[in-house]
Short mmCIF file of all heavy atoms in Angstrom, two decimals:
data_model
loop_
_atom_site.label_atom_id
_atom_site.label_comp_id
_atom_site.label_asym_id
_atom_site.label_seq_id
_atom_site.Cartn_x
_atom_site.Cartn_y
_atom_site.Cartn_z
N ALA A 85 10.85 -12.18 -33.04
CA ALA A 85 10.25 -13.09 -34.05
C ALA A 85 10.26 -12.49 -35.42
O ALA A 85 10.41 -13.18 -36.39
CB ALA A 85 8.82 -13.44 -33.63
N GLN A 86 10.09 -11.18 -35.51
CA GLN A 86 10.08 -10.46 -36.78
C GLN A 86 11.46 -10.10 -37.31
O GLN A 86 11.64 -9.50 -38.33
CB GLN A 86 9.19 -9.26 -36.69
CG GLN A 86 7.71 -9.56 -36.48
CD GLN A 86 6.94 -8.32 -36.12
OE1 GLN A 86 7.48 -7.26 -35.93
NE2 GLN A 86 5.61 -8.51 -36.08
N GLY A 87 12.51 -10.50 -36.51
CA GLY A 87 13.85 -10.15 -36.90
C GLY A 87 14.11 -8.67 -36.88
O GLY A 87 14.95 -8.12 -37.67
N HIS A 88 13.45 -7.98 -35.93
CA HIS A 88 13.54 -6.49 -35.87
C HIS A 88 14.98 -6.10 -35.64
O HIS A 88 15.64 -6.61 -34.77
CB HIS A 88 12.62 -6.03 -34.74
CG HIS A 88 12.48 -4.55 -34.73
ND1 HIS A 88 13.38 -3.67 -34.19
CD2 HIS A 88 11.46 -3.77 -35.16
CE1 HIS A 88 12.99 -2.49 -34.24
NE2 HIS A 88 11.81 -2.47 -34.86
N GLU A 89 15.41 -5.19 -36.42
CA GLU A 89 16.70 -4.58 -36.18
C GLU A 89 16.71 -3.59 -35.01
O GLU A 89 15.58 -3.09 -34.64
CB GLU A 89 17.16 -3.82 -37.49
CG GLU A 89 17.37 -4.69 -38.66
CD GLU A 89 18.51 -5.70 -38.50
OE1 GLU A 89 19.55 -5.37 -37.88
OE2 GLU A 89 18.29 -6.86 -38.89
N PRO A 90 17.78 -3.30 -34.37
CA PRO A 90 17.82 -2.35 -33.26
C PRO A 90 17.23 -0.99 -33.75
O PRO A 90 17.27 -0.64 -34.87
CB PRO A 90 19.30 -2.18 -32.96
CG PRO A 90 19.94 -3.40 -33.52
CD PRO A 90 19.14 -3.87 -34.65
N ASP A 91 16.57 -0.37 -32.77
CA ASP A 91 15.94 0.96 -33.08
C ASP A 91 16.95 1.91 -33.59
O ASP A 91 18.11 1.93 -33.16
CB ASP A 91 15.26 1.51 -31.82
CG ASP A 91 14.02 0.75 -31.46
OD1 ASP A 91 13.32 0.20 -32.35
OD2 ASP A 91 13.71 0.75 -30.23
N GLU A 92 16.52 2.70 -34.55
CA GLU A 92 17.41 3.68 -35.14
C GLU A 92 17.32 5.05 -34.39
O GLU A 92 16.23 5.37 -33.93
CB GLU A 92 17.00 3.95 -36.63
CG GLU A 92 17.20 2.82 -37.55
CD GLU A 92 16.80 3.08 -38.96
OE1 GLU A 92 16.76 4.28 -39.29
OE2 GLU A 92 16.49 2.14 -39.68
N VAL A 93 18.41 5.71 -34.37
CA VAL A 93 18.40 7.08 -33.77
C VAL A 93 17.63 7.99 -34.80
O VAL A 93 17.78 7.93 -35.99
CB VAL A 93 19.83 7.60 -33.58
CG1 VAL A 93 19.84 9.04 -33.19
CG2 VAL A 93 20.56 6.71 -32.58
N LYS A 94 16.71 8.82 -34.21
CA LYS A 94 15.86 9.74 -35.04
C LYS A 94 16.14 11.12 -34.60
O LYS A 94 16.32 11.40 -33.41
CB LYS A 94 14.41 9.40 -34.86
CG LYS A 94 14.07 8.01 -35.29
CD LYS A 94 12.59 7.71 -34.96
CE LYS A 94 12.22 6.35 -35.24
NZ LYS A 94 10.82 6.02 -34.89
N GLU A 95 16.05 12.05 -35.55
CA GLU A 95 16.22 13.45 -35.24
C GLU A 95 14.97 13.95 -34.54
O GLU A 95 13.89 13.48 -34.86
CB GLU A 95 16.40 14.31 -36.50
CG GLU A 95 17.74 14.04 -37.21
CD GLU A 95 18.93 14.60 -36.43
OE1 GLU A 95 18.75 15.68 -35.84
OE2 GLU A 95 19.97 13.93 -36.36
N LEU A 96 15.07 14.89 -33.63
CA LEU A 96 13.95 15.49 -33.03
C LEU A 96 13.20 16.39 -34.06
O LEU A 96 13.84 17.22 -34.67
CB LEU A 96 14.40 16.32 -31.80
CG LEU A 96 13.28 17.03 -30.97
CD1 LEU A 96 12.37 16.01 -30.34
CD2 LEU A 96 14.00 17.86 -29.87
N THR A 97 11.93 16.17 -34.20
CA THR A 97 11.14 16.96 -35.13
C THR A 97 10.38 17.99 -34.43
O THR A 97 10.13 18.00 -33.21
CB THR A 97 10.21 16.01 -35.96
OG1 THR A 97 9.34 15.31 -35.03
CG2 THR A 97 10.99 14.98 -36.72
N LEU A 98 9.86 19.02 -35.22
CA LEU A 98 8.93 19.92 -34.66
C LEU A 98 7.55 19.35 -34.44
O LEU A 98 7.20 18.36 -35.03
CB LEU A 98 8.81 21.10 -35.64
CG LEU A 98 10.09 21.99 -35.81
CD1 LEU A 98 9.86 23.04 -36.90
CD2 LEU A 98 10.59 22.52 -34.53
#
Side-chain angles (χ1 to χ4, degrees):
Q86 295 169 353
H88 190 280
E89 295 297 319
D91 290 329
E92 294 180 21
V93 173
K94 300 175 184 175
E95 292 292 321
L96 182 62
T97 59
L98 295 177

